[in-house]
Amino acid sequence: MTKKLRIATLGIHHETNTFASNPTTMDSFKVSGMQTYAVQRGQQYYDMHELSSTSMAGFIQASNRLDFELVPLIFAATDPGGTISKEVFDTLGGEAFEMLRDQGPFDGVLLNQMGAAVSEEYPDMDGELARRVREIVGPNVPVAMTLDLHANVSQQMADETDALVIYKTNPHTDAVPRAHDACDLVVRMARENWRPAVWLEQPPMVVGIFQHDTRDMPMKAVIDDLETVLAQPGVVGGSIGEGYPWSDVHENGLACYVLHEDSVDEAKKAARWIADRAWANRKELYEPVGPTPSEAVEYALKEAAARPDESGPIVLLDVGDNIGAGSSGDSTFLLAEGVKQGAASWLQTVRDSEAIEACLAAGIGATVTIEVGGKTDSLHGSPVSLTGRITRISDGRFEDTGTVHAGWRFFDGGTTVVIESQEGPTVALVTTRVGNMSREQFYSLGYRPDDFDIVVAKGVVSPRPAYQPIAHEMVTVNTPGATSADMSSFDYKRVRDSLYPLDLEAKYEHG
Ligand SMILES: [Zn+2]
């Protein structure tokens, strides 16, 4: 009988928006909107994911299917935000590396990363983490890293691991099957003393956020090409990194990655075939188009008045305040426009601890006049004055057992207060940067987004699994903010010298 494999898993999972004004510190890891415990150790890391649909849930399922012992070390994940402090990497990374050293030896390692982590010290924090792990376990232990589709994949990440496995869907609904793929590879490597041949190809181009949904053209074509490659004989794996635009790092952009049974040349050929075709389509893959806030609200009001009864809300996607991409969650461009144009049936969240304090002091049922949102920085509009009745006070926790972007389940909005304003909008004031990825966020407060004319969701793709089923229409709005769709509004310093669309004449050449 073969010995049961012991495979460790750890992760420091973060999407870092280097243009966001809120740095990611140890305090940021005290609470996360995406999961009840931002830092999970040992059994807790196991327990918090077993019933979810995250990568870790996939690792757990695969450990049963493939009969290996999964050793959960530590998983730290908090909401996307600004650059990670050195202290975070030293503290959480330090703890992870110590656990890996102390609890080994292991037959394999599964790194549960997001893939766009940037720390003060390491612009490629995921690559640095892989390098440290490799240093500890040595060259002979297979290491695989699972990644979010928004990863900015670096050569270091490819070099310091044996396999990268990235989600193929956006909205992200395949974390579990992709985690199974990663486990299949690691187990095979450990059992057969085999390693795949690897090629990472990075055409110098960025996929625009408006084009990130993998169900729609033109991004669907890139994923279709990946599927074509995956069906080729000899190809044992492959991924696309869609990239994360708001990160000032060298590897910002599209990545095409292929694993072959034994031939680097074949892996290279396949990866370049995908890259060439995406490059030829680069103009279609970057188009920051969409209505302005004023146009979108005007359209939504007209559309809401004309639509049949009970056909659901018009959902306005606030691109510039994409919480799931690290924005502040307190943008007011749409809210101000809603008030200005007299939107009477309107529902949204705004992150604002100060307004919450004022409401808590007034108490439930009281009528208050407060300045809402626009307080984090100068990127997200001015505070909006609202007068309204406080109808709910909640601890902000909610659970979603349905299909959620990236498979999260236990959310935490922190102290939450709802006010129904005389100006029209109903606003849930939240404490954490909890994303608008789940309708339970409102159901748990006693509000049905289904019944409103207009709902604002701060994000581009992550709110879609929640809101598409009930929406009359989803409108992607070209709002300003820390996650603006327009790359030229940011000052990039570390990206490649010639990167499309920052350089419209960028060239992509290979032998
Ligand atoms: Zn993502």
Side-chain angles (χ1 to χ4, degrees):
M1 204 182 117
T2 48
K3 174 175 137 292
K4 196 162 179 163
L5 299 174
R6 279 187 90 228
I7 298 179
T9 173
L10 64 92
I12 302 179
H13 190 279
H14 195 254
E15 187 175 72
T16 309
N17 182 324
T18 61
F19 300 104
S21 56
N22 46 318
T24 300
T25 62
M26 283 307 289
D27 270 349
S28 320
F29 283 89
K30 283 189 181 142
V31 65
S32 158
M34 300 183 301
Q35 47 174 18
T36 311
Y37 303 99
V39 182
Q40 302 157 6
R41 298 173 177 85
Q43 191 62 33
Q44 191 181 40
Y45 174 20
Y46 192 100
D47 293 342
M48 291 309 297
H49 292 264
E50 194 180 4
L51 298 176
S52 74
S53 304
T54 56
S55 300
M56 180 56 173
F59 296 160
I60 293 169
Q61 292 172 22
S63 71
N64 294 322
R65 177 175 61 87
L66 299 165
D67 195 29
F68 64 83
E69 183 194 350
L70 180 68
V71 184
L73 300 179
I74 182 170
F75 181 65
T78 194
D79 311 327
T83 301
I84 299 168
S85 71
K86 176 176 172 351
E87 188 192 4
V88 167
F89 186 79
D90 290 349
T91 307
L92 295 174
E95 190 178 344
F97 306 139
E98 202 175 296
M99 286 170 137
L100 187 66
R101 219 175 274 123
D102 291 353
Q103 297 183 38
F106 293 105
D107 302 300
V109 182
L110 295 160
L111 300 178
N112 185 352
Q113 296 297 109
M114 187 274 145
V118 179
S119 77
E120 286 174 313
E121 212 176 349
Y122 303 111
D124 174 21
M125 202 189 94
D126 301 277
E128 175 63 17
L129 182 129
R131 192 187 70 76
R132 302 277 188 106
V133 165
R134 176 59 78 203
E135 215 169 66
I136 293 165
V137 300
N140 299 323
V141 173
V143 176
M145 187 191 275
T146 54
L147 294 165
D148 186 286
L149 188 57
H150 293 104
N152 281 320
V153 181
S154 70
Q155 191 61 50
Q156 180 173 234
M157 284 155 73
D159 290 346
E160 299 291 351
T161 60
D162 299 292
L164 302 173
V165 179
I166 309 178
Y167 306 157
K168 289 192 282 194
T169 58
N170 188 17
H172 309 320
T173 52
D174 62 341
V176 167
R178 292 304 271 162
H180 276 274
D181 292 344
C183 292
D184 282 329
L185 285 164
V186 166
V187 166
R188 184 180 163 201
M189 287 188 253
R191 290 238 181 274
E192 299 178 17
N193 196 23
W194 158 87
R195 294 293 183 276
V198 177
W199 191 262
L200 171 66
E201 186 71 19
Q202 295 171 287
M205 61 182 282
V206 172
V207 177
I209 194 66
F210 278 55
Q211 285 73 43
H212 267 220
D213 195 319
T214 54
R215 298 166 302 179
D216 300 335
M217 291 307 227
M219 193 58 212
K220 183 178 181 298
V222 183
I223 300 296
D224 287 348
D225 284 350
L226 171 66
E227 295 293 358
T228 301
V229 161
L230 288 173
Q232 287 170 4
V235 173
V236 293
S239 291
I240 296 297
E242 203 167 31
Y244 175 72
W246 305 285
S247 186
D248 190 11
V249 294
H250 178 80
E251 58 272 15
N252 183 327
L254 182 75
C256 308
Y257 174 88
V258 174
L259 297 170
H260 190 273
E261 180 68 32
D262 51 23
S263 164
V264 175
D265 282 349
E266 289 298 319
K268 185 200 288 188
K269 206 167 97 190
R272 284 187 171 169
W273 179 76
I274 302 172
D276 281 337
R277 287 165 61 90
W279 177 255
N281 230 0
R282 64 192 175 283
K283 287 191 179 68
E284 289 72 27
L285 282 162
Y286 180 86
E287 277 188 276
V289 289
T292 63
S294 129
E295 290 164 356
V297 172
E298 195 185 326
Y299 172 81
L301 284 169
K302 220 180 275 166
E303 214 32 49
R307 79 200 196 286
D309 282 348
E310 289 169 26
S311 65
I314 317 295
V315 176
L316 301 179
L317 294 161
D318 188 347
V319 172
D321 193 18
N322 183 349
I323 301 169
S327 191
S328 60
D330 74 341
S331 167
T332 56
F333 291 114
L334 284 170
L335 180 64
E337 203 52 50
V339 169
K340 189 171 151 199
Q341 296 192 30
S345 174
W346 175 293
L347 182 67
Q348 74 164 96
T349 63
V350 175
R351 187 179 65 88
D352 192 332
S353 302
E354 213 174 285
I356 289 171
E357 285 300 316
C359 292
L360 293 179
I364 196 148
T367 296
V368 289
T369 298
I370 45 171
E371 301 287 311
V372 169
K375 293 173 187 167
T376 303
D377 51 37
S378 57
L379 296 172
H380 299 97
S382 308
V384 172
S385 181
L386 295 178
T387 298
R389 203 166 59 86
I390 300 165
T391 59
R392 297 283 187 286
I393 296 176
S394 150
D395 69 1
R397 290 195 176 184
F398 59 94
E399 178 181 354
D400 194 327
T401 57
T403 304
V404 176
H405 189 70
W408 304 107
R409 175 162 177 165
F410 301 102
F411 294 86
D412 189 347
T415 303
T416 298
V417 172
V418 181
I419 85 162
E420 293 183 8
S421 77
Q422 292 165 8
E423 288 80 3
T426 296
V427 175
L429 299 165
V430 299
T431 301
T432 69
R433 285 183 310 99
V434 60
N436 300 139
M437 297 189 269
S438 164
R439 300 203 304 273
E440 294 299 334
Q441 183 168 35
F442 291 116
Y443 295 149
S444 67
L445 297 166
Y447 284 88
R448 285 173 47 79
D450 320 51
D451 298 338
F452 283 77
D453 285 352
I454 299 173
V455 174
V456 173
K458 292 176 175 295
V460 184
V461 179
S462 64
R464 293 185 196 199
Y467 287 101
Q468 230 151 18
I470 64 155
H472 174 66
E473 188 180 343
M474 313 273 287
V475 180
T476 314
V477 190
N478 203 357
T479 42
T483 52
S484 159
D486 180 5
M487 286 185 81
S488 66
S489 62
F490 301 104
D491 183 19
Y492 289 90
K493 293 194 169 71
R494 295 191 290 215
V495 296
R496 282 167 279 177
D497 282 345
S498 179
L499 179 69
Y500 188 89
L502 295 174
D503 175 4
L504 294 172
E505 303 301 313
K507 299 253 181 307
Y508 170 45
E509 282 157 348
H510 56 72

